[in-house]
Structure formats: structure tokens, C-alpha cells
Amino acid sequence: MNAPEFIQLRVKRQDNPTSKPYWEDIKIPYKPNMNVVSVLMEFRKNPINTKGEKIDPIVWECNCLEEVCGACTMLINGVPRQSCSALIDKIYEKYGSDKPIVLAPLTKFPVVRDLMIDRQIMFDNLRKVKAWVQVDGSWDIGRGPRMADRVHEWAYPISRCMTCGCCMESCPNVNSKSNFIGPNTIAQVHMFNAHPIGEMQKEKRLDALMGPGGIQECGNAQNCKRVCPKGINLTMSIAAVNRQVNKRALQRMFDK
Amino acid sequence: MAEPKVVIVGGGLAGLMSAMKIAEKKIKVDLISLVPVKRSHSVCAQGGVNAALNTKGQNDTTWEHFYDTIYGGDFLANQPPVKNLCEAAPGIIYAMDRMGVMFNRTPEGLMDLRIFGGVKKHRTAFAGATTGQQLLYACDEQVRRYEDIGMVKKYEGWEFLSAIIDDDGVCRGCIAQNLSTMEIKPFYGDAVIIATGGGGMIFGKSTNSVINTGSAASAIYQQGVSFANGEFIQIHPTGMLGDDKTRLMSESARGDGGRIWTYKDGKPWYFLEEWYPAYGNLVPRDIAARAIYKVCVEMGLGVDGKNQVYLDLSHLPAEYLDKRLGGIMEIYENFYGDDPRKVPMKIFPAIHYFMGGLHVNWNHMTKIPGLFAAGECDYMYHGANRLGANSLLSAMYSGTVAGPAAVNYIKGLQGTSEEGAKKAGELELKKQQEYNDKICKMDGKENPYSLHDEMGELMRLNVGIVRNNKALAETDVKLQEFQERWHNCNIVDHGSYSNQTVLFVRQLWNMMQLARVITLGALRRDESRGSHYKPEFPNRDDENFLKTTIADYTPEGPKFSWEEVDISLVKPVERKYNVDSREVKK
């Protein structure tokens, strides 16, 4: 790769939640080993667009810069991912360094400003399915139940879900016409239902996944698993929870 | 009378643990956080959390955990609270296990334990190399459960600006600003708990998240709370160099068998193993960081002639590494491009953790009644150097102390008037609004982000791993110049919605205040102790400096005093790691 003189970005901007979006072209001098976040950080030290106009710095969310907090998720050349781990040199290897890198906010969530979005719905969904272990209290009552290593092996990866929204963004069934709860939330149900104490409230979580927006809205596109930055096997979880839901539905029929 | 309520500022481990404990006692909580709490900086903690569970046949005890922590902290921590911390640790970890934290397991399904720096026993419970993330998520889930039943109300995307303090000097709530609408409003409460973490951003680049500006703690300091031991900044030996931040490579890498080395005379030289035979690669962080500094800077033996040495895991089986250290393998691969299973990682020490912080009593209340502090923003448990995997513990434990203490405080309140709170709240609100209006109009020549870069660089250079008095004095002069230049800042962003620069300019001022506390605290302490190292004074000096540094705000700069350290449980001895700490003469 020939090192370009500038790193060019084309950014989809929006001044506030109700205003119209527009595109802005910006550039900063090329340095090796940069990522999208460090480019935006560099830009705000001298926010002048390619037309030479003084503009407001780009607004985006970021926090840990280590791809564990999930904050800085955006569309980079159309792919939902964390911008901190989006290395410029790697992007150039894939797409070439002559074209601007295109940044846009995720489309499945309301825009707050520029690349910043509101993902509250994902936290609300976790609440809906009671994504927690219902302990009696946080007090010290001694050692908890044992858990087999083989359960830990598949459940631990799910616990690394950072609610970033990549799976929601890539899922065709999450759209303005559906209120599909999304792959990540279903995976959380899978994990909590496997925990020795969490298992005791399994039915409540499964009930929350029946009905409108529930697990049946999954169309098995399998995009979620492909885009998950933590490599969580979301489709495996959806299949497993689907079996639990079906069993639960049958059980409810017989209970009537 | 209105229903009692506690306002908690900060949604990391300490804040969430406080919230859980308070809601459990049937008191309502308003939880204010800069970011959705699930994105708090606690997620960055990797290696594990200490508790003497004694499940590895090593006769571990909470007393040994206590002794290692005090010894590791070079005897600067008050001993009784540390003893309480270590005694509470197993109970806290068991509760977290019940709440569903995915700790690694032994073949019989118990929590597995790994070994960490500065200790001789397996005492660190862990969830791969993402333990902080899992602990935070478990607390987040429990707090969401309390949110579900109306006991906790979250205000995410709000920045703490100042405490509301009434005419009697009692804290009655706080003022916060919405990061999107920019609205500033009062949050009233009978007690306020500040759990806002450390301030790595004062050094520009660190292992911290970008929200860790220390701004809230600094605001409280400027309102009259003492800041203790500010000069004690932990430098983590194994950071990964980067333009935007120095990413952490967990100590657990060495706990699980990683070795530090560089080339000497054309051959690998395992200098930690040679210099510290009793602990080897698992010496505490201050010792390891200084050794790496010595090898690179003083001896000029850094890898490729640069300031870097190897952290080597490549001799360990890939499957073992993925199971126990997958989280950091991924970070190194994604951000550096090399596979640490195959080639050694290149690392150098990085600013990591604030041992010092807001001064609190043993119930975590500051000198302002009703105002508490917990987590990294307090100064309580780590003395002059923190042992690895004690931070997650102290964050959670301090929440279990501060939360119930706030409830007890509220129960003891008598005759506080609502009008008093309202009057103080309106006054403080007006003050903060005026300050905000002033910032919004700043149209000088200084770009606040560039000014911050300059400050960070200066702090890393002169107030980092090696300190000398001349440079510290010069740094303080520079910091005062920066404060002058701050007044000439340009607000850069003219948007009225989600204006991040307006908030950053305010944070920058607050960072500058704490920068002086750190620098002058270091200047005054003419000894070397824990993370604070002055070649001019290479030894620990208990006679003059076995004391807590106390800084109090004045408009002219911090005013310093000393406070005695409670050493009622174990007598200070020389701290060294070439021999087993148990063999150092008492």
C-alpha cells in the first residue's frame, strides 16, 4: 500500500434528533497506525472541512477504546462495527487508500447528533426479558452453586455481549415495521436460563419472548453471528432458546 | 416529608454496588451516569478480583491477603479498613457468583483461582481476561432489576457539575447537565455518593477510558473536600503503546506464565526473574514498571532500540491462552496486528490507576456531611501502590460500605428543612448556569483538545515513573500557565445540542486543578515509596513521610497538610521482593 498524504472521511452528519442529515468531507494528514476514533480526535483539534470551512467537530460516542464498552459503534463503509478497532491501515488494505472512508450512524436507532445514537431500546429489552439472576439479596450466604466447566465454556462468550447494536443493525427483521427484540437479548436469555439459579426463573424469560416482537420474528438471516465483534454464536443461542420457547408453549397449553 | 432518597453519581462497579445495597434497604436511588452504566470504565478491568477463598490447598487466609495488600502498598494505607476489605472479600465474590458472573471453573465446578503480582498464593477469581466487564454486567443486571420495580431511577447521559451544599454545610444533592439537551438541573437527595472513578485523562494517554477525567472528584475538591495522596499514581508495567491510548495488557498474562524479557548480548534476558528471584515476573506493578524503565531508558536495552520490552506468552499452549486470556489476546491482535500466541507482545509501562482520591472516613463519608465517595475516586485501600486484582474488590467493597452508611446517615437525620435544600439548590444551579454560559461564549485562540494534549504530555514526562524536584517545580509553573491559557479557549463547537466541547472545557479546568494536586504532592514528598519514586531520595522515609498527604483547595492553589496513618495492626518493615515478604525481618 502506498501511504496516502491524507486520511479522508465522508461523514453523515445531523445536528439534532429532528434535523435533516447531510454529508461532510473532512481529512487529516496521514499517519500510520491510526483508527477511526483517533482520526476524529485529531480532527477536532482543527475542525476545517475539505472545502476549507470552519465547522463544528464531529460528534460521536466513545469510551474504552479497547472494544469492550461498545459505545463507539457506527457504520464504517457500510459495516456496523466499533470505530476504535477500525484501523485505518487495515481499511486501506481492503478498500484502497484512494477513496474516502464513509462513516454513518447506525440506522436502526434514533440519531442524537452526527454519529451518536440512542440505544436505550436494547437496555429496555433486557428489562423485558428479565435478564438477571433473581437472587434473594446481595448478602453473604456462602458459596454459590457449582457450574460445570462445559457450561461455562459456551456461556462465558455470551456474557461478553456489550450491547453494541451490531447484531440489531444487521438483522433484516429489526426494522420500523417490527419490534423484534433482537439476537443479543435472546442470547442473554439463553445464558441466564443455563445458570443454576437463573434457571429457576426460566419460564418468565421464555414467556417474555412469546408474542409480538418475540423470538418467532427471527427470519434466520444469520447476519447477527457474522457481524458480532465478540464472535458470539448468536444463531446457536436463538435455536436453543427457540426449542425452550416451544416446549414452554406446549406446557402452557396443557396447563390450561 | 418527602420520601428519603440517595443520589449516586457514577454507574461503574462502586456506584452500582452502592445502588444495589441501598435499594435492598428499601431506599430509593437516583443514579446519574455520563454513559449508559453498562459502558462504564469498570469493563476495562481484565485479570480478576482477589479474595482468600483458599480452594487451592495453599492455606490462604484473609490475614495474608491483608498483609500482602499493606506490604504491597508500602505501608501507607490505613490498616483497619484494609483488614475489613480483605475479610469481606470472599463473601462479596460468592454473592457475585450467585448473581451469575461467568467465573472460570475448576473441573469440579468451583471458581478457579489464578496467581497475581506481589503474592505467593492463588487468590484471584477471574472470568477469562474480562473480569471487570462480567462483574459490572452482573451489578448492572441487579440494578436493572431494582429499576424494574421502581427503586432505582437512572439518568444516563448526565454529567455531574457540583454538589448542592446548604447553609449548614450539609450536602443536599447535586447539579448535573444533560449531555444531549444541555439542560442543567438540580437532583435533590438526602445523601450523595460520588463514585466517578480515577483521572487517567489528566495524563493524556493512559489505560483509562476517555470519561476518566477526574472532573467530578475535582469539582468536589474545589467545593471543600480534601484530596488525599494525589501523588500516588499507579503505572502499569505492561501497556501497549498507541496513538490514542495505551491499552492494558493484563497482569494475569504473567500470572498465567508470561515472561518479560529483552535482548542483552544477543541473548534473551529475563531481567525480572534475575533481579527478583522470589517473585520473578510477578513482582508488584511499581517494581516491574521501574525495572522496565531502567532496562529501556537507563541501560538502553529496549527491544529494537525503542522504549519497549517483550511480554512473552508464545511458549504456552494456544488453547490454554484462549480459555484464560482470550480477552487480551483479542485486543493485542485487533489493535496491533500480531498474534501473541505466536510472537511476544511489545509493551511499556503506562499510567493506570489513582491510589489517592477524595478523603473519606471509614464509612466513606467526606468532610461534608451527607457527601460520600466510593471506588477509585476515594483514597482508602491501596496505600502507595495497589496490588493487581484489588481494584475490582475495593470498588465493590467500598460500595457495600458507602451504600449502607448513606442509609444510616439518612436515618439519623433530624430537622433538615426542604426549604434549605431548595434555596441552596437554586443558588448552585444559577452558579453553574452562569459558568456554562461563560464557557459557551469562549472564543479565544486555544483549542481545548490541543491544550489537553500539551498538559498530558507534560504530566507523563515529569510526574510519571521517575520524578525529580526540579522538573516537578517547573511542571507546576507550567500548569499555572496552562490555567491562564485555558481562559483563552475557543469553544470550537457552536451546536446547541450534544455539545461535547462545552463539557470538555469544563472538565479540562477540573483536570488542571487535580494536576497541580498530583504534582505538588509529589514535590513535597521527599522519599521513594510505592509508585512514587525520586532518585534524589531513593529510600522510604517513615520518620518524615509515613503520612497521608492532604490537599485542600484554595483559589491560589492547593494547601497541603499531613495526616497520621493508622498502623495499629502490623508494624512497617522494609519492602523488598528479591526475597519472600514473609521472610523480611519484622
Side-chain angles (χ1 to χ4, degrees):
Chain A
M1 182 194 82
N2 287 329
E5 197 182 344
F6 292 100
I7 296 170
Q8 301 177 64
L9 300 180
R10 172 163 293 165
V11 185
K12 191 175 186 184
R13 305 196 68 173
Q14 185 172 327
D15 294 341
N16 62 55
T18 52
S19 67
K20 278 225 161 65
Y22 58 97
W23 290 93
E24 186 118 66
D25 290 302
I26 63 171
K27 61 179 182 183
I28 64 150
Y30 173 86
K31 271 196 305 182
N33 302 323
M34 292 193 90
N35 58 57
V36 168
V37 168
S38 66
V39 170
L40 292 173
M41 281 179 168
E42 197 56 36
F43 177 73
R44 66 186 177 186
K45 290 177 198 161
N46 188 21
I48 293 174
N49 67 12
T50 43
K51 286 186 256 171
E53 299 160 342
K54 242 188 189 177
I55 56 167
D56 291 339
I58 311 288
V59 172
W60 83 102
E61 273 179 285
C62 70
N63 195 22
C64 75
L65 311 187
E66 294 178 2
E67 212 192 58
V68 282
C69 80
C72 67
T73 311
M74 58 181 74
L75 287 171
I76 299 171
N77 286 344
V79 180
R81 58 184 295 193
Q82 280 71 56
S83 46
C84 66
S85 58
L87 308 185
I88 300 296
D89 295 332
K90 285 256 161 97
I91 294 173
Y92 283 166
E93 269 172 38
K94 190 166 174 197
Y95 298 93
S97 61
D98 49 341
K99 293 182 282 290
I101 298 167
V102 181
L103 307 184
L106 296 188
T107 60
K108 303 284 172 82
F109 306 92
V111 172
V112 178
R113 185 179 168 188
D114 292 348
L115 302 168
M116 187 192 247
I117 46 161
D118 179 358
R119 283 167 280 188
Q120 183 58 38
I121 180 85
M122 296 184 77
F123 300 114
D124 292 343
N125 286 344
L126 289 174
R127 199 160 137 182
K128 264 189 215 156
V129 300
K130 304 195 184 299
W132 52 72
V133 174
Q134 179 109 27
V135 292
D136 189 39
S138 64
W139 33 81
D140 175 12
I141 51 170
R143 177 176 288 154
R146 294 177 189 230
M147 178 186 276
D149 191 34
R150 65 179 135 73
V151 177
H152 175 266
E153 204 148 304
W154 65 258
Y156 166 70
I158 300 175
S159 75
R160 295 181 66 205
C161 168
M162 48 193 185
T163 327
C164 67
C166 286
C167 60
M168 299 280 279
E169 180 69 20
S170 72
C171 176
N173 297 353
V174 175
N175 58 51
S176 54
K177 292 191 196 88
S178 103
N179 48 359
F180 180 37
I181 205 153
N184 63 304
T185 310
I186 296 171
Q188 292 298 306
V189 169
H190 189 205
M191 179 181 79
F192 284 108
N193 285 3
H195 185 270
I197 301 174
E199 193 266 337
M200 296 174 194
Q201 299 97 33
K202 181 174 164 178
E203 291 79 12
K204 284 186 185 165
R205 291 186 206 100
L206 296 175
D207 289 350
L209 285 178
M210 299 182 194
I215 192 166
Q216 77 288 349
E217 311 261 346
C218 168
N220 206 18
Q222 308 209 3
N223 292 353
C224 51
K225 188 182 162 183
R226 279 191 286 271
V227 295
C228 176
K230 297 289 124 181
I232 301 171
N233 195 339
L234 292 158
T235 49
M236 179 268 289
S237 284
I238 294 172
V241 174
N242 200 32
R243 284 192 295 274
Q244 293 179 14
V245 166
N246 289 337
K247 206 171 141 197
R248 169 75 181 147
L250 276 174
Q251 182 197 356
R252 285 211 320 204
M253 248 160 64
F254 287 121
D255 283 353
K256 266 180 193 162
Chain B
M1 219 185 91
E3 223 180 346
K5 187 165 57 178
V6 179
V7 178
I8 297 175
V9 185
L13 259 188
L16 292 177
M17 186 57 99
S18 307
M20 203 192 304
K21 288 286 174 184
I22 293 166
E24 244 167 42
K25 292 184 184 293
K26 313 265 187 290
I27 302 278
K28 288 197 170 166
V29 172
D30 277 352
L31 179 56
I32 296 171
S33 172
L34 268 171
V35 292
V37 296
K38 206 175 171 179
R39 310 200 194 285
S40 301
H41 178 62
S42 305
V43 295
C44 288
Q46 298 170 344
V49 54
N50 288 335
L53 300 183
N54 188 30
T55 52
K56 288 286 184 183
Q58 295 179 310
N59 293 320
D60 198 13
T61 60
T62 56
W63 177 264
E64 286 192 61
H65 183 187
F66 161 71
Y67 189 78
D68 287 337
T69 302
I70 292 295
Y71 186 88
D74 229 346
F75 295 90
L76 195 64
N78 290 308
Q79 295 178 0
V82 176
K83 184 164 173 279
N84 294 342
L85 166 90
C86 298
E87 285 172 355
I92 291 173
I93 302 309
Y94 286 145
M96 296 310 296
D97 187 30
R98 282 164 44 229
M99 289 173 202
V101 175
M102 286 292 161
F103 287 113
N104 278 49
R105 301 286 152 173
T106 64
E108 56 181 286
L110 295 179
M111 276 180 274
D112 201 0
L113 298 174
R114 62 166 42 128
I115 190 162
F116 246 64
V119 307
K120 288 300 221 178
K121 293 185 174 169
H122 286 69
R123 191 184 290 149
T124 307
F126 62 103
T130 61
T131 314
Q133 186 185 32
Q134 314 312 317
L135 290 173
L136 181 81
Y137 288 2
C139 288
D140 172 55
E141 288 147 12
Q142 294 301 315
V143 168
R144 187 167 292 109
R145 178 160 79 89
Y146 286 113
E147 201 185 0
D148 199 43
I149 55 171
M151 292 304 294
V152 174
K153 190 160 169 46
K154 279 190 201 144
Y155 294 86
E156 294 169 319
W158 287 78
E159 164 122 356
F160 171 91
L161 302 184
S162 63
I164 298 170
I165 297 162
D166 71 13
D167 288 344
D168 300 324
V170 174
C171 180
R172 309 297 300 273
C174 71
I175 307 287
Q177 181 165 22
N178 186 294
L179 304 187
S180 292
T181 63
M182 309 305 284
E183 177 198 3
I184 300 176
K185 77 168 210 175
F187 289 83
Y188 293 103
D190 303 276
V192 174
I193 300 176
I194 301 288
T196 52
M201 287 294 281
I202 293 168
F203 290 79
K205 275 189 256 185
S206 73
T207 62
N208 286 191
S209 295
V210 298
I211 53 170
N212 299 132
T213 59
S215 184
S218 175
I220 294 290
Y221 156 72
Q222 291 167 67
Q223 286 187 290
V225 173
S226 308
F227 204 88
N229 287 341
E231 67 271 31
F232 289 97
I233 307 290
Q234 177 157 83
I235 304 199
H236 198 290
T238 59
M240 186 188 141
L241 297 169
D243 254 355
D244 47 344
K245 88 173 280 189
T246 41
R247 295 177 175 85
L248 176 66
M249 284 297 119
S250 173
E251 185 166 305
S252 56
R254 281 171 289 139
D256 285 354
R259 301 174 78 187
I260 300 274
W261 63 278
T262 187
Y263 285 105
K264 191 168 105 177
D265 307 324
K267 281 187 300 228
W269 179 36
Y270 298 90
F271 51 94
L272 288 176
E273 295 169 32
E274 185 180 308
W275 290 342
Y276 303 101
Y279 291 81
N281 292 291
L282 284 175
V283 286
R285 291 172 179 176
D286 55 330
I287 309 277
R290 276 198 291 279
I292 295 168
Y293 182 89
K294 184 173 171 181
V295 163
C296 293
V297 181
E298 290 167 22
M299 304 171 75
L301 290 174
V303 171
D304 301 334
K306 292 184 192 154
N307 281 341
Q308 54 188 15
V309 295
Y310 287 131
L311 166 57
D312 197 350
L313 294 165
S314 60
H315 55 289
L316 298 165
E319 195 194 343
Y320 168 86
L321 293 174
D322 286 338
K323 195 165 165 77
R324 298 172 68 100
L325 298 166
I328 61 165
M329 300 275 113
E330 204 176 272
I331 291 177
Y332 196 80
E333 248 183 324
N334 288 351
F335 288 90
Y336 197 82
D338 283 350
D339 181 356
R341 297 164 198 87
K342 297 187 181 125
V343 294
M345 300 186 270
K346 292 174 189 152
I347 55 91
F348 194 70
I351 302 287
H352 183 53
Y353 184 90
F354 279 39
M355 270 77 70
L358 296 167
H359 188 266
V360 290
N361 66 18
W362 295 355
N363 281 323
H364 281 267
M365 190 153 85
T366 68
K367 71 159 85 153
I368 296 176
L371 181 59
F372 296 74
E376 190 176 339
C377 72
D378 77 46
Y379 85 112
M380 188 69 93
Y381 301 100
H382 309 296
N385 170 65
R386 175 173 69 73
L387 287 190
N390 265 351
S391 64
L392 288 173
L393 177 62
S394 66
M396 291 190 290
Y397 174 70
S398 59
T400 69
V401 176
V407 170
N408 283 342
Y409 165 81
I410 291 176
K411 288 192 173 149
L413 279 178
Q414 276 171 352
T416 48
S417 81
E418 305 240 337
E419 295 83 68
K422 215 157 170 238
K423 189 179 137 211
E426 276 160 15
L427 260 174
E428 189 60 36
L429 177 66
K430 190 160 168 272
K431 198 169 139 195
Q432 294 304 329
Q433 261 160 352
E434 283 168 5
Y435 185 31
N436 183 68
D437 294 346
K438 183 185 136 186
I439 293 174
C440 288
K441 287 192 198 103
M442 289 174 94
D443 62 352
K445 293 208 159 52
E446 298 279 354
N447 178 294
Y449 299 108
S450 301
L451 187 57
H452 173 243
D453 265 8
E454 262 186 76
M455 179 180 76
E457 207 175 317
L458 179 75
M459 291 297 287
R460 288 200 302 281
L461 184 69
N462 292 338
V463 202
I465 205 160
V466 173
R467 297 160 169 185
N468 70 68
N469 282 346
K470 186 164 166 277
L472 290 170
E474 285 166 7
T475 302
D476 188 54
V477 172
K478 269 291 215 194
L479 287 171
Q480 291 175 71
E481 284 170 27
F482 289 155
Q483 288 184 15
E484 283 303 310
R485 285 170 59 190
W486 179 88
H487 290 281
N488 191 30
C489 269
N490 190 302
I491 205 60
V492 196
D493 188 347
H494 302 89
S496 55
Y497 205 84
S498 289
N499 190 320
Q500 295 173 327
T501 315
V502 166
L503 291 151
F504 186 75
V505 168
R506 182 191 281 264
Q507 291 160 0
L508 181 59
W509 177 260
N510 288 344
M511 283 191 256
M512 287 172 167
Q513 304 304 312
L514 284 191
R516 287 198 73 196
V517 170
I518 296 165
T519 306
L520 289 173
L523 180 61
R524 284 167 48 88
R525 188 175 279 277
D526 280 335
E527 64 161 350
S528 292
R529 180 189 297 271
S531 68
H532 172 71
Y533 174 60
K534 269 187 189 173
E536 297 160 273
F537 304 92
N539 298 318
R540 194 173 87 194
D541 175 359
D542 282 352
E543 204 174 311
N544 292 305
F545 296 106
L546 179 48
K547 286 171 186 147
T548 301
T549 304
I550 303 285
D552 286 297
Y553 174 80
T554 77
E556 292 74 43
K559 198 176 101 234
F560 286 93
S561 56
W562 300 110
E563 189 183 78
E564 288 304 316
V565 178
D566 186 329
I567 48 166
S568 55
L569 297 173
V570 291
K571 247 176 77 183
V573 294
E574 191 191 350
R575 172 179 182 252
K576 47 187 176 182
Y577 287 94
N578 52 347
V579 293
D580 192 323
S581 67
R582 303 297 183 281
E583 287 157 25
V584 177
K585 268 225 173 74
K586 303 272 153 71

